[in-house]
PDB file of all heavy atoms in Angstrom:
ATOM      1  N   GLY L 610     -66.464  83.989 -36.715  1.00 97.00           N
ATOM      2  CA  GLY L 610     -66.192  84.276 -38.117  1.00 97.00           C
ATOM      3  C   GLY L 610     -64.710  84.209 -38.422  1.00 97.00           C
ATOM      4  O   GLY L 610     -63.883  83.962 -37.530  1.00 97.00           O
ATOM      5  N   LEU L 611     -64.375  84.429 -39.678  1.00 97.00           N
ATOM      6  CA  LEU L 611     -62.993  84.360 -40.136  1.00 97.00           C
ATOM      7  C   LEU L 611     -62.753  85.416 -41.215  1.00 97.00           C
ATOM      8  O   LEU L 611     -63.693  85.841 -41.890  1.00 97.00           O
ATOM      9  CB  LEU L 611     -62.679  82.983 -40.732  1.00 97.00           C
ATOM     10  CG  LEU L 611     -62.675  81.785 -39.784  1.00 97.00           C
ATOM     11  CD1 LEU L 611     -62.627  80.488 -40.594  1.00 97.00           C
ATOM     12  CD2 LEU L 611     -61.514  81.848 -38.810  1.00 97.00           C
ATOM     13  N   ARG L 612     -61.512  85.796 -41.347  1.00 96.00           N
ATOM     14  CA  ARG L 612     -61.107  86.642 -42.468  1.00 96.00           C
ATOM     15  C   ARG L 612     -59.855  86.085 -43.100  1.00 96.00           C
ATOM     16  O   ARG L 612     -59.126  85.279 -42.501  1.00 96.00           O
ATOM     17  CB  ARG L 612     -60.865  88.086 -42.018  1.00 96.00           C
ATOM     18  CG  ARG L 612     -59.607  88.333 -41.179  1.00 96.00           C
ATOM     19  CD  ARG L 612     -59.302  89.814 -41.147  1.00 96.00           C
ATOM     20  NE  ARG L 612     -58.244  90.231 -40.249  1.00 96.00           N
ATOM     21  CZ  ARG L 612     -56.953  90.262 -40.556  1.00 96.00           C
ATOM     22  NH1 ARG L 612     -56.533  89.830 -41.734  1.00 96.00           N
ATOM     23  NH2 ARG L 612     -56.062  90.706 -39.682  1.00 96.00           N
ATOM     24  N   SER L 613     -59.591  86.507 -44.314  1.00 95.00           N
ATOM     25  CA  SER L 613     -58.328  86.175 -44.972  1.00 95.00           C
ATOM     26  C   SER L 613     -57.240  87.116 -44.468  1.00 95.00           C
ATOM     27  O   SER L 613     -57.514  88.117 -43.803  1.00 95.00           O
ATOM     28  CB  SER L 613     -58.475  86.347 -46.489  1.00 95.00           C
ATOM     29  OG  SER L 613     -58.633  87.732 -46.798  1.00 95.00           O
ATOM     30  N   TYR L 614     -56.003  86.804 -44.781  1.00 94.00           N
ATOM     31  CA  TYR L 614     -55.005  87.846 -44.715  1.00 94.00           C
ATOM     32  C   TYR L 614     -55.400  88.928 -45.722  1.00 94.00           C
ATOM     33  O   TYR L 614     -56.093  88.655 -46.700  1.00 94.00           O
ATOM     34  CB  TYR L 614     -53.613  87.317 -45.074  1.00 94.00           C
ATOM     35  CG  TYR L 614     -52.999  86.449 -44.000  1.00 94.00           C
ATOM     36  CD1 TYR L 614     -52.774  85.098 -44.229  1.00 94.00           C
ATOM     37  CD2 TYR L 614     -52.644  86.992 -42.777  1.00 94.00           C
ATOM     38  CE1 TYR L 614     -52.202  84.298 -43.241  1.00 94.00           C
ATOM     39  CE2 TYR L 614     -52.081  86.208 -41.781  1.00 94.00           C
ATOM     40  CZ  TYR L 614     -51.865  84.861 -42.025  1.00 94.00           C
ATOM     41  OH  TYR L 614     -51.307  84.081 -41.045  1.00 94.00           O
ATOM     42  N   ILE L 615     -54.982  90.149 -45.485  1.00 94.00           N
ATOM     43  CA  ILE L 615     -55.334  91.262 -46.362  1.00 94.00           C
ATOM     44  C   ILE L 615     -54.135  91.553 -47.259  1.00 94.00           C
ATOM     45  O   ILE L 615     -53.042  91.852 -46.773  1.00 94.00           O
ATOM     46  CB  ILE L 615     -55.731  92.501 -45.550  1.00 94.00           C
ATOM     47  CG1 ILE L 615     -56.887  92.152 -44.605  1.00 94.00           C
ATOM     48  CG2 ILE L 615     -56.145  93.635 -46.487  1.00 94.00           C
ATOM     49  CD1 ILE L 615     -57.174  93.199 -43.554  1.00 94.00           C
ATOM     50  N   TYR L 622     -52.591  87.988 -53.645  1.00 89.00           N
ATOM     51  CA  TYR L 622     -53.804  87.436 -54.267  1.00 89.00           C
ATOM     52  C   TYR L 622     -53.978  87.908 -55.705  1.00 89.00           C
ATOM     53  O   TYR L 622     -55.081  87.891 -56.242  1.00 89.00           O
ATOM     54  CB  TYR L 622     -55.041  87.852 -53.467  1.00 89.00           C
ATOM     55  CG  TYR L 622     -55.033  87.462 -52.008  1.00 89.00           C
ATOM     56  CD1 TYR L 622     -55.402  88.389 -51.030  1.00 89.00           C
ATOM     57  CD2 TYR L 622     -54.681  86.185 -51.601  1.00 89.00           C
ATOM     58  CE1 TYR L 622     -55.428  88.037 -49.689  1.00 89.00           C
ATOM     59  CE2 TYR L 622     -54.694  85.827 -50.269  1.00 89.00           C
ATOM     60  CZ  TYR L 622     -55.067  86.765 -49.305  1.00 89.00           C
ATOM     61  OH  TYR L 622     -55.088  86.412 -47.988  1.00 89.00           O
ATOM     62  N   LEU L 630     -61.350  84.029 -53.770  1.00 93.00           N
ATOM     63  CA  LEU L 630     -60.857  84.391 -52.447  1.00 93.00           C
ATOM     64  C   LEU L 630     -61.979  84.294 -51.413  1.00 93.00           C
ATOM     65  O   LEU L 630     -61.807  83.721 -50.330  1.00 93.00           O
ATOM     66  CB  LEU L 630     -60.281  85.805 -52.480  1.00 93.00           C
ATOM     67  CG  LEU L 630     -59.730  86.377 -51.168  1.00 93.00           C
ATOM     68  CD1 LEU L 630     -58.673  85.459 -50.571  1.00 93.00           C
ATOM     69  CD2 LEU L 630     -59.157  87.770 -51.408  1.00 93.00           C
ATOM     70  N   GLY L 631     -63.147  84.845 -51.748  1.00 95.00           N
ATOM     71  CA  GLY L 631     -64.278  84.757 -50.843  1.00 95.00           C
ATOM     72  C   GLY L 631     -64.709  83.326 -50.595  1.00 95.00           C
ATOM     73  O   GLY L 631     -65.073  82.958 -49.470  1.00 95.00           O
ATOM     74  N   ALA L 632     -64.673  82.491 -51.633  1.00 94.00           N
ATOM     75  CA  ALA L 632     -65.097  81.097 -51.511  1.00 94.00           C
ATOM     76  C   ALA L 632     -64.247  80.341 -50.508  1.00 94.00           C
ATOM     77  O   ALA L 632     -64.767  79.534 -49.718  1.00 94.00           O
ATOM     78  CB  ALA L 632     -65.043  80.411 -52.876  1.00 94.00           C
ATOM     79  N   PHE L 633     -62.948  80.601 -50.515  1.00 92.00           N
ATOM     80  CA  PHE L 633     -62.076  79.907 -49.568  1.00 92.00           C
ATOM     81  C   PHE L 633     -62.457  80.241 -48.129  1.00 92.00           C
ATOM     82  O   PHE L 633     -62.605  79.360 -47.283  1.00 92.00           O
ATOM     83  CB  PHE L 633     -60.613  80.265 -49.820  1.00 92.00           C
ATOM     84  CG  PHE L 633     -59.679  79.638 -48.827  1.00 92.00           C
ATOM     85  CD1 PHE L 633     -59.282  78.327 -48.971  1.00 92.00           C
ATOM     86  CD2 PHE L 633     -59.229  80.358 -47.737  1.00 92.00           C
ATOM     87  CE1 PHE L 633     -58.436  77.733 -48.039  1.00 92.00           C
ATOM     88  CE2 PHE L 633     -58.393  79.775 -46.797  1.00 92.00           C
ATOM     89  CZ  PHE L 633     -57.990  78.463 -46.947  1.00 92.00           C
ATOM     90  N   VAL L 634     -62.642  81.525 -47.834  1.00 94.00           N
ATOM     91  CA  VAL L 634     -62.966  81.934 -46.470  1.00 94.00           C
ATOM     92  C   VAL L 634     -64.353  81.422 -46.077  1.00 94.00           C
ATOM     93  O   VAL L 634     -64.565  80.962 -44.947  1.00 94.00           O
ATOM     94  CB  VAL L 634     -62.879  83.463 -46.327  1.00 94.00           C
ATOM     95  CG1 VAL L 634     -63.237  83.908 -44.915  1.00 94.00           C
ATOM     96  CG2 VAL L 634     -61.478  83.957 -46.689  1.00 94.00           C
ATOM     97  N   LEU L 635     -65.291  81.459 -46.991  1.00 95.00           N
ATOM     98  CA  LEU L 635     -66.637  80.967 -46.723  1.00 95.00           C
ATOM     99  C   LEU L 635     -66.609  79.494 -46.321  1.00 95.00           C
ATOM    100  O   LEU L 635     -67.250  79.084 -45.344  1.00 95.00           O
ATOM    101  CB  LEU L 635     -67.503  81.168 -47.964  1.00 95.00           C
ATOM    102  CG  LEU L 635     -68.971  80.739 -47.882  1.00 95.00           C
ATOM    103  CD1 LEU L 635     -69.703  81.526 -46.816  1.00 95.00           C
ATOM    104  CD2 LEU L 635     -69.635  80.925 -49.245  1.00 95.00           C
ATOM    105  N   ARG L 636     -65.878  78.682 -47.066  1.00 92.00           N
ATOM    106  CA  ARG L 636     -65.780  77.258 -46.737  1.00 92.00           C
ATOM    107  C   ARG L 636     -65.129  77.058 -45.380  1.00 92.00           C
ATOM    108  O   ARG L 636     -65.533  76.188 -44.603  1.00 92.00           O
ATOM    109  CB  ARG L 636     -64.945  76.536 -47.796  1.00 92.00           C
ATOM    110  CG  ARG L 636     -65.589  76.339 -49.121  1.00 92.00           C
ATOM    111  CD  ARG L 636     -66.650  75.283 -49.249  1.00 92.00           C
ATOM    112  NE  ARG L 636     -66.796  74.297 -48.210  1.00 92.00           N
ATOM    113  CZ  ARG L 636     -67.861  73.515 -48.105  1.00 92.00           C
ATOM    114  NH1 ARG L 636     -68.861  73.642 -48.953  1.00 92.00           N
ATOM    115  NH2 ARG L 636     -67.957  72.623 -47.157  1.00 92.00           N
ATOM    116  N   GLU L 637     -64.118  77.858 -45.069  1.00 93.00           N
ATOM    117  CA  GLU L 637     -63.435  77.711 -43.792  1.00 93.00           C
ATOM    118  C   GLU L 637     -64.347  78.052 -42.613  1.00 93.00           C
ATOM    119  O   GLU L 637     -64.240  77.451 -41.547  1.00 93.00           O
ATOM    120  CB  GLU L 637     -62.179  78.585 -43.772  1.00 93.00           C
ATOM    121  CG  GLU L 637     -61.088  78.130 -44.733  1.00 93.00           C
ATOM    122  CD  GLU L 637     -60.491  76.797 -44.337  1.00 93.00           C
ATOM    123  OE1 GLU L 637     -59.916  76.684 -43.241  1.00 93.00           O
ATOM    124  OE2 GLU L 637     -60.620  75.836 -45.139  1.00 93.00           O
ATOM    125  N   VAL L 638     -65.238  79.016 -42.794  1.00 95.00           N
ATOM    126  CA  VAL L 638     -66.204  79.348 -41.735  1.00 95.00           C
ATOM    127  C   VAL L 638     -67.110  78.155 -41.462  1.00 95.00           C
ATOM    128  O   VAL L 638     -67.342  77.768 -40.299  1.00 95.00           O
ATOM    129  CB  VAL L 638     -67.032  80.594 -42.116  1.00 95.00           C
ATOM    130  CG1 VAL L 638     -68.190  80.792 -41.142  1.00 95.00           C
ATOM    131  CG2 VAL L 638     -66.151  81.840 -42.136  1.00 95.00           C
ATOM    132  N   LYS L 641     -65.032  75.450 -39.681  1.00 93.00           N
ATOM    133  CA  LYS L 641     -64.649  75.754 -38.299  1.00 93.00           C
ATOM    134  C   LYS L 641     -65.818  75.577 -37.340  1.00 93.00           C
ATOM    135  O   LYS L 641     -65.651  75.032 -36.236  1.00 93.00           O
ATOM    136  CB  LYS L 641     -64.102  77.183 -38.200  1.00 93.00           C
ATOM    137  CG  LYS L 641     -63.719  77.570 -36.768  1.00 93.00           C
ATOM    138  CD  LYS L 641     -63.018  78.908 -36.699  1.00 93.00           C
ATOM    139  CE  LYS L 641     -62.600  79.222 -35.256  1.00 93.00           C
ATOM    140  NZ  LYS L 641     -61.844  80.482 -35.164  1.00 93.00           N
ATOM    141  N   LEU L 803     -54.599  88.165 -33.464  1.00 95.00           N
ATOM    142  CA  LEU L 803     -55.742  87.977 -34.361  1.00 95.00           C
ATOM    143  C   LEU L 803     -55.679  86.642 -35.096  1.00 95.00           C
ATOM    144  O   LEU L 803     -56.485  86.395 -35.991  1.00 95.00           O
ATOM    145  CB  LEU L 803     -55.807  89.129 -35.371  1.00 95.00           C
ATOM    146  CG  LEU L 803     -55.859  90.537 -34.782  1.00 95.00           C
ATOM    147  CD1 LEU L 803     -55.837  91.583 -35.896  1.00 95.00           C
ATOM    148  CD2 LEU L 803     -57.097  90.725 -33.910  1.00 95.00           C
ATOM    149  N   GLN L 804     -54.754  85.788 -34.716  1.00 92.00           N
ATOM    150  CA  GLN L 804     -54.505  84.585 -35.500  1.00 92.00           C
ATOM    151  C   GLN L 804     -55.712  83.650 -35.546  1.00 92.00           C
ATOM    152  O   GLN L 804     -55.950  82.977 -36.554  1.00 92.00           O
ATOM    153  CB  GLN L 804     -53.297  83.838 -34.927  1.00 92.00           C
ATOM    154  CG  GLN L 804     -52.620  82.908 -35.927  1.00 92.00           C
ATOM    155  CD  GLN L 804     -52.116  83.647 -37.159  1.00 92.00           C
ATOM    156  OE1 GLN L 804     -51.626  84.776 -37.054  1.00 92.00           O
ATOM    157  NE2 GLN L 804     -52.244  83.035 -38.325  1.00 92.00           N
ATOM    158  N   GLU L 805     -56.494  83.621 -34.491  1.00 92.00           N
ATOM    159  CA  GLU L 805     -57.641  82.715 -34.444  1.00 92.00           C
ATOM    160  C   GLU L 805     -58.715  83.081 -35.466  1.00 92.00           C
ATOM    161  O   GLU L 805     -59.549  82.238 -35.811  1.00 92.00           O
ATOM    162  CB  GLU L 805     -58.253  82.702 -33.039  1.00 92.00           C
ATOM    163  CG  GLU L 805     -57.428  81.957 -32.011  1.00 92.00           C
ATOM    164  CD  GLU L 805     -57.270  80.478 -32.352  1.00 92.00           C
ATOM    165  OE1 GLU L 805     -58.289  79.834 -32.661  1.00 92.00           O
ATOM    166  OE2 GLU L 805     -56.129  79.992 -32.336  1.00 92.00           O
ATOM    167  N   MET L 806     -58.709  84.313 -35.937  1.00 94.00           N
ATOM    168  CA  MET L 806     -59.735  84.718 -36.897  1.00 94.00           C
ATOM    169  C   MET L 806     -59.237  84.673 -38.339  1.00 94.00           C
ATOM    170  O   MET L 806     -59.987  84.980 -39.256  1.00 94.00           O
ATOM    171  CB  MET L 806     -60.232  86.135 -36.587  1.00 94.00           C
ATOM    172  CG  MET L 806     -59.219  87.237 -36.869  1.00 94.00           C
ATOM    173  SD  MET L 806     -59.868  88.898 -36.538  1.00 94.00           S
ATOM    174  CE  MET L 806     -60.102  88.844 -34.773  1.00 94.00           C
ATOM    175  N   ILE L 807     -57.989  84.276 -38.548  1.00 92.00           N
ATOM    176  CA  ILE L 807     -57.431  84.248 -39.894  1.00 92.00           C
ATOM    177  C   ILE L 807     -57.724  82.906 -40.555  1.00 92.00           C
ATOM    178  O   ILE L 807     -57.439  81.844 -39.994  1.00 92.00           O
ATOM    179  CB  ILE L 807     -55.913  84.481 -39.878  1.00 92.00           C
ATOM    180  CG1 ILE L 807     -55.569  85.801 -39.178  1.00 92.00           C
ATOM    181  CG2 ILE L 807     -55.361  84.470 -41.304  1.00 92.00           C
ATOM    182  CD1 ILE L 807     -56.057  87.034 -39.880  1.00 92.00           C
ATOM    183  N   ALA L 808     -58.290  82.957 -41.739  1.00 87.00           N
ATOM    184  CA  ALA L 808     -58.535  81.746 -42.521  1.00 87.00           C
ATOM    185  C   ALA L 808     -57.258  81.413 -43.273  1.00 87.00           C
ATOM    186  O   ALA L 808     -57.174  81.491 -44.488  1.00 87.00           O
ATOM    187  CB  ALA L 808     -59.699  81.943 -43.485  1.00 87.00           C
ATOM    188  N   ALA L 809     -56.222  81.081 -42.513  1.00 63.00           N
ATOM    189  CA  ALA L 809     -54.940  80.703 -43.106  1.00 63.00           C
ATOM    190  C   ALA L 809     -55.035  79.237 -43.512  1.00 63.00           C
ATOM    191  O   ALA L 809     -55.766  78.472 -42.908  1.00 63.00           O
ATOM    192  CB  ALA L 809     -53.828  80.888 -42.085  1.00 63.00           C
ATOM    193  N   PRO L 810     -54.340  78.830 -44.514  1.00 51.00           N
ATOM    194  CA  PRO L 810     -53.324  79.573 -45.244  1.00 51.00           C
ATOM    195  C   PRO L 810     -53.906  80.479 -46.318  1.00 51.00           C
ATOM    196  O   PRO L 810     -55.037  80.296 -46.744  1.00 51.00           O
ATOM    197  CB  PRO L 810     -52.485  78.468 -45.872  1.00 51.00           C
ATOM    198  CG  PRO L 810     -53.472  77.378 -46.094  1.00 51.00           C
ATOM    199  CD  PRO L 810     -54.439  77.451 -44.940  1.00 51.00           C
ATOM    200  N   CYS L 811     -53.109  81.417 -46.725  1.00 50.00           N
ATOM    201  CA  CYS L 811     -53.472  82.215 -47.887  1.00 50.00           C
ATOM    202  C   CYS L 811     -52.738  81.652 -49.101  1.00 50.00           C
ATOM    203  O   CYS L 811     -52.160  80.572 -49.027  1.00 50.00           O
ATOM    204  CB  CYS L 811     -53.173  83.694 -47.670  1.00 50.00           C
ATOM    205  SG  CYS L 811     -51.458  84.060 -47.386  1.00 50.00           S
ATOM    206  N   PHE L 812     -52.751  82.366 -50.198  1.00 50.00           N
ATOM    207  CA  PHE L 812     -52.366  81.740 -51.446  1.00 50.00           C
ATOM    208  C   PHE L 812     -51.122  82.374 -52.052  1.00 50.00           C
ATOM    209  O   PHE L 812     -50.931  83.576 -52.003  1.00 50.00           O
ATOM    210  CB  PHE L 812     -53.513  81.854 -52.463  1.00 50.00           C
ATOM    211  CG  PHE L 812     -54.844  81.578 -51.846  1.00 50.00           C
ATOM    212  CD1 PHE L 812     -55.713  82.609 -51.541  1.00 50.00           C
ATOM    213  CD2 PHE L 812     -55.217  80.290 -51.539  1.00 50.00           C
ATOM    214  CE1 PHE L 812     -56.927  82.356 -50.958  1.00 50.00           C
ATOM    215  CE2 PHE L 812     -56.438  80.029 -50.953  1.00 50.00           C
ATOM    216  CZ  PHE L 812     -57.300  81.059 -50.659  1.00 50.00           C
ATOM    217  N   ARG L 825     -53.178  75.755 -50.876  1.00 45.00           N
ATOM    218  CA  ARG L 825     -53.063  76.160 -49.480  1.00 45.00           C
ATOM    219  C   ARG L 825     -51.618  76.452 -49.067  1.00 45.00           C
ATOM    220  O   ARG L 825     -51.165  76.009 -48.019  1.00 45.00           O
ATOM    221  CB  ARG L 825     -53.671  75.108 -48.556  1.00 45.00           C
ATOM    222  CG  ARG L 825     -55.145  74.865 -48.806  1.00 45.00           C
ATOM    223  CD  ARG L 825     -55.755  74.032 -47.723  1.00 45.00           C
ATOM    224  NE  ARG L 825     -57.209  73.994 -47.868  1.00 45.00           N
ATOM    225  CZ  ARG L 825     -58.036  73.566 -46.936  1.00 45.00           C
ATOM    226  NH1 ARG L 825     -57.576  73.167 -45.780  1.00 45.00           N
ATOM    227  NH2 ARG L 825     -59.338  73.551 -47.143  1.00 45.00           N
ATOM    228  N   LYS L 826     -50.919  77.184 -49.882  1.00 49.00           N
ATOM    229  CA  LYS L 826     -49.557  77.563 -49.527  1.00 49.00           C
ATOM    230  C   LYS L 826     -49.576  78.704 -48.513  1.00 49.00           C
ATOM    231  O   LYS L 826     -50.335  79.641 -48.639  1.00 49.00           O
ATOM    232  CB  LYS L 826     -48.766  77.976 -50.772  1.00 49.00           C
ATOM    233  CG  LYS L 826     -48.302  76.792 -51.610  1.00 49.00           C
ATOM    234  CD  LYS L 826     -47.203  77.227 -52.561  1.00 49.00           C
ATOM    235  CE  LYS L 826     -46.626  76.025 -53.281  1.00 49.00           C
ATOM    236  NZ  LYS L 826     -45.527  76.412 -54.184  1.00 49.00           N
ATOM    237  N   MET L 827     -48.705  78.627 -47.534  1.00 47.00           N
ATOM    238  CA  MET L 827     -48.658  79.640 -46.496  1.00 47.00           C
ATOM    239  C   MET L 827     -47.920  80.891 -46.971  1.00 47.00           C
ATOM    240  O   MET L 827     -46.821  80.797 -47.501  1.00 47.00           O
ATOM    241  CB  MET L 827     -47.950  79.080 -45.265  1.00 47.00           C
ATOM    242  CG  MET L 827     -48.704  77.966 -44.568  1.00 47.00           C
ATOM    243  SD  MET L 827     -50.250  78.517 -43.867  1.00 47.00           S
ATOM    244  CE  MET L 827     -49.652  79.510 -42.514  1.00 47.00           C
ATOM    245  N   ASP L 831     -50.556  89.981 -43.138  1.00 93.00           N
ATOM    246  CA  ASP L 831     -51.264  91.079 -43.788  1.00 93.00           C
ATOM    247  C   ASP L 831     -50.206  91.966 -44.439  1.00 93.00           C
ATOM    248  O   ASP L 831     -49.295  92.464 -43.772  1.00 93.00           O
ATOM    249  CB  ASP L 831     -52.063  91.873 -42.759  1.00 93.00           C
ATOM    250  CG  ASP L 831     -53.182  91.048 -42.134  1.00 93.00           C
ATOM    251  OD1 ASP L 831     -53.964  90.443 -42.883  1.00 93.00           O
ATOM    252  OD2 ASP L 831     -53.262  91.006 -40.887  1.00 93.00           O
ATOM    253  N   ALA L 868     -61.223  89.067 -47.752  1.00 96.00           N
ATOM    254  CA  ALA L 868     -62.567  88.545 -47.519  1.00 96.00           C
ATOM    255  C   ALA L 868     -62.757  88.311 -46.028  1.00 96.00           C
ATOM    256  O   ALA L 868     -61.796  87.963 -45.323  1.00 96.00           O
ATOM    257  CB  ALA L 868     -62.789  87.240 -48.283  1.00 96.00           C
ATOM    258  N   ALA L 869     -63.971  88.517 -45.543  1.00 97.00           N
ATOM    259  CA  ALA L 869     -64.284  88.314 -44.123  1.00 97.00           C
ATOM    260  C   ALA L 869     -65.765  88.009 -43.974  1.00 97.00           C
ATOM    261  O   ALA L 869     -66.609  88.690 -44.573  1.00 97.00           O
ATOM    262  CB  ALA L 869     -63.917  89.549 -43.307  1.00 97.00           C
ATOM    263  N   PHE L 870     -66.072  86.984 -43.178  1.00 98.00           N
ATOM    264  CA  PHE L 870     -67.462  86.585 -42.960  1.00 98.00           C
ATOM    265  C   PHE L 870     -67.699  86.249 -41.494  1.00 98.00           C
ATOM    266  O   PHE L 870     -66.806  85.743 -40.807  1.00 98.00           O
ATOM    267  CB  PHE L 870     -67.823  85.357 -43.805  1.00 98.00           C
ATOM    268  CG  PHE L 870     -67.689  85.583 -45.276  1.00 98.00           C
ATOM    269  CD1 PHE L 870     -66.605  85.060 -45.969  1.00 98.00           C
ATOM    270  CD2 PHE L 870     -68.625  86.324 -45.972  1.00 98.00           C
ATOM    271  CE1 PHE L 870     -66.460  85.279 -47.330  1.00 98.00           C
ATOM    272  CE2 PHE L 870     -68.482  86.553 -47.326  1.00 98.00           C
ATOM    273  CZ  PHE L 870     -67.403  86.027 -48.011  1.00 98.00           C
ATOM    274  N   LEU L 974     -64.976  91.458 -36.827  1.00 98.00           N
ATOM    275  CA  LEU L 974     -64.124  90.430 -36.240  1.00 98.00           C
ATOM    276  C   LEU L 974     -63.097  91.038 -35.290  1.00 98.00           C
ATOM    277  O   LEU L 974     -62.859  90.515 -34.189  1.00 98.00           O
ATOM    278  CB  LEU L 974     -63.431  89.645 -37.348  1.00 98.00           C
ATOM    279  CG  LEU L 974     -64.340  88.735 -38.178  1.00 98.00           C
ATOM    280  CD1 LEU L 974     -63.586  88.189 -39.390  1.00 98.00           C
ATOM    281  CD2 LEU L 974     -64.891  87.589 -37.338  1.00 98.00           C
TER     282      LEU L 974
END
Side-chain angles (χ1 to χ4, degrees):
L611 293 169
R612 72 164 172 87
S613 68
Y614 287 114
I615 303 168
Y622 303 134
L630 179 55
F633 177 81
V634 179
L635 181 62
R636 287 285 346 166
E637 292 293 299
V638 170
K641 179 173 183 177
L803 304 177
Q804 202 59 38
E805 287 298 312
M806 70 178 66
I807 304 295
C811 61
F812 317 103
R825 299 191 171 194
K826 283 197 173 182
M827 293 295 289
D831 295 309
F870 299 104
L974 290 171

